[in-house]
Amino acid sequence: MTGKTVLISGASIAGPALAYWLHRHGFRPTIVERAAAPRPGGQAVDIRGAAIDVVQKMGLYDQIRANDTAIHEMSYVDSEGGTIATLDAAFGIVDERDVEISRGELTKILYNATRDNVEYVFGDSITGLSEDADGVEVRFEHGAPRRFDLVVGADGLHSNTRSLVFGDEAQFLHHLGLYLAIFGVANRTGLDHQQHIHATPGRVTTLTSSRDRSEAKAVFFFGSAPLTYDYRDTAAQRRLLADAFAGTGWEVPRLLEDMKAAPDFYFDSVSQIRMTGWHRGRVALVGDAAYAASALSGQGTSLALVGAYVLAGELAAAAGEHEVAFARYEEKLSEFVKVNQELAIGNAERFAPSTPRAVRMQNASLKMLRYLPWKGLLMKMMTKGVARAANAITLSEYAPAQPEMVQTTR
């Protein structure tokens, strides 16, 4: 059965990707998003393995590739800005098809690919869900109630949909020992498709050129036990970040000043969502709302794209019979999610060494790496786990009911 109405909460990556495939399969998707427009900014995200296959099937790979961050060099620097070690762009690349793109650019591409065929409702959010045998009555913060056949939460780590249907997020949120902040700044240091990284015990700051060098992106990580704060109170989050990095050298003091006026400031814990099931009745979850893998895995975006493809495909294959489709979706994706989440477990200490000795050892290893004759083999071994996780699923082919969407760059 096609023509079913599906409400998707969230217009970042998983939501528009799901809407794309649902439309292709003959469903009628609507996306509701709390923000007033697609969200710009955000950190760079990776698309690898099976997710590359998904965006190729969407006809979007070339456009995504054209917006690659194209970072060619990463340098670790000391508190005075002196170079400790420099690594070229080959470091960490799993496959030549891999793409690194800013989250905001990917969101824009997905929005442009769907906005002519999908209803978007910006500036609103779900406040209540009442399910019966024939559908779901949805109440909104601002709009009038509406009825849908199915509802999907694609609304991120702090999913409102998940809370309404499955309960308090505390039972699913697993903190990995770090907090993350991101915001845009002026490119005062003249970075040219480069990234500078400054590490002190339990603290990592990166500064990366973006938007053809006109801007830079500042990213902060710091180790901490779970903190108590309102994830919508940005003033409190800015204070937490400033306190965590007080007394840090390099460009950090100036970046913290820039933070005060940054309109795209983002702050959150580095956490995973772990659930035993991603659906209840006519409501399902996809992407970070269901199985956030965290920034430490580098696979969150790939999970969202693959999850959206499988969920929509299984709904089509089951002719809209949601119980059958949701069960198959969980069955096909569970191992892929498990392997990708395992990448991040225990990575906090390796990512942000917590002692001065650990930082010194990391710096010494980085200095040596570029001179090792077997550097290429060593890097291949280091990325072997990521490559395995990125390809830990065989995608089924789902015949679309709708003609191919014509993609254009707007």
Side-chain angles (χ1 to χ4, degrees), residues 21 26 33 65 105 107 129 152 160 171-172 176 185 206 247-248 282 290 348 361:
W21 288 111
E33 165 59 49
R65 186 80 184 187
E105 287 297 325
T107 297
L129 298 166
V152 179
N160 178 52
Q171 61 189 308
F172 310 117
L176 298 185
V185 297
T206 71
T248 306
R282 291 175 174 270
M361 290 179 63

Side-chain angles (χ1 to χ4, degrees), residues 45-53 55-56 61 64-70 89-101 298-299 302 383 386-388 390-391:
V45 298
D46 298 303
I47 305 175
R48 303 187 181 107
I52 293 289
D53 297 332
V55 296
Q56 286 179 330
Y61 178 74
I64 290 171
R65 186 80 184 187
N67 285 276
D68 190 292
T69 58
F91 183 81
I93 290 180
V94 176
D95 184 278
E96 63 180 11
R97 298 190 307 160
D98 290 0
V99 179
E100 182 185 70
I101 183 173
Q299 283 293 102
S302 291
T383 59
V386 178
R388 172 177 168 266
N391 293 282

Side-chain angles (χ1 to χ4, degrees), residues 9 12 103 153-163 167-170 172-176 178-180 229 231 266-275 285-295 341:
S9 176
S12 180
R103 177 175 289 275
D155 40 357
L157 186 70
H158 302 294
S159 170
N160 178 52
T161 311
R162 187 185 61 234
S163 295
D168 186 3
E169 77 171 30
F172 310 117
L173 189 75
H174 292 259
H175 181 56
L176 298 185
L178 291 173
Y179 281 83
L180 161 71
Y229 65 96
Y231 71 87
Y266 170 87
F267 180 95
D268 211 335
S269 66
V270 177
S271 299
Q272 290 184 342
I273 295 296
R274 302 179 201 158
M275 304 179 70
L285 303 172
V286 68
D288 281 358
Y291 33 78
S294 87
Q341 287 192 330

Side-chain angles (χ1 to χ4, degrees), residues 139-162:
R139 296 181 298 282
F140 297 94
E141 185 176 358
H142 301 296
R146 293 176 61 177
R147 190 170 181 80
F148 296 88
D149 294 307
L150 303 171
V151 175
V152 179
D155 40 357
L157 186 70
H158 302 294
S159 170
N160 178 52
T161 311
R162 187 185 61 234

Side-chain angles (χ1 to χ4, degrees), residues 84-217:
I84 296 170
T86 297
L87 303 172
D88 62 33
F91 183 81
I93 290 180
V94 176
D95 184 278
E96 63 180 11
R97 298 190 307 160
D98 290 0
V99 179
E100 182 185 70
I101 183 173
S102 78
R103 177 175 289 275
E105 287 297 325
L106 180 57
T107 297
K108 182 170 70 174
I109 289 170
L110 292 170
Y111 172 66
N112 286 338
T114 54
R115 65 181 185 180
D116 293 336
N117 302 293
V118 173
E119 178 190 8
Y120 278 85
V121 180
F122 288 106
D124 211 345
S125 62
I126 299 171
T127 58
L129 298 166
S130 301
E131 180 178 336
D132 57 37
D134 299 316
V136 184
E137 188 79 12
V138 182
R139 296 181 298 282
F140 297 94
E141 185 176 358
H142 301 296
R146 293 176 61 177
R147 190 170 181 80
F148 296 88
D149 294 307
L150 303 171
V151 175
V152 179
D155 40 357
L157 186 70
H158 302 294
S159 170
N160 178 52
T161 311
R162 187 185 61 234
S163 295
L164 289 170
V165 177
F166 295 87
D168 186 3
E169 77 171 30
Q171 61 189 308
F172 310 117
L173 189 75
H174 292 259
H175 181 56
L176 298 185
L178 291 173
Y179 281 83
L180 161 71
I182 307 163
F183 51 91
V185 297
N187 187 11
R188 287 188 295 256
T189 58
L191 295 175
D192 183 0
H193 296 90
Q194 297 164 291
Q195 181 179 75
H196 285 177
I197 306 164
H198 179 59
T200 58
R203 308 285 185 269
V204 175
T205 306
T206 71
L207 191 59
T208 311
S209 63
S210 64
R211 295 195 182 185
D212 294 325
R213 299 177 295 162
S214 63
E215 294 182 7
K217 193 70 67 177

Side-chain angles (χ1 to χ4, degrees), residues 373-409:
W374 54 87
K375 178 181 69 173
L377 177 61
L378 181 61
M379 287 195 291
K380 185 175 181 180
M381 291 174 61
M382 290 170 63
T383 59
K384 185 177 180 180
V386 178
R388 172 177 168 266
N391 293 282
I393 187 172
T394 300
L395 297 177
S396 299
E397 294 294 331
Y398 303 105
Q402 297 293 328
E404 191 80 26
M405 287 185 180
V406 177
Q407 306 305 338
T408 59
T409 303

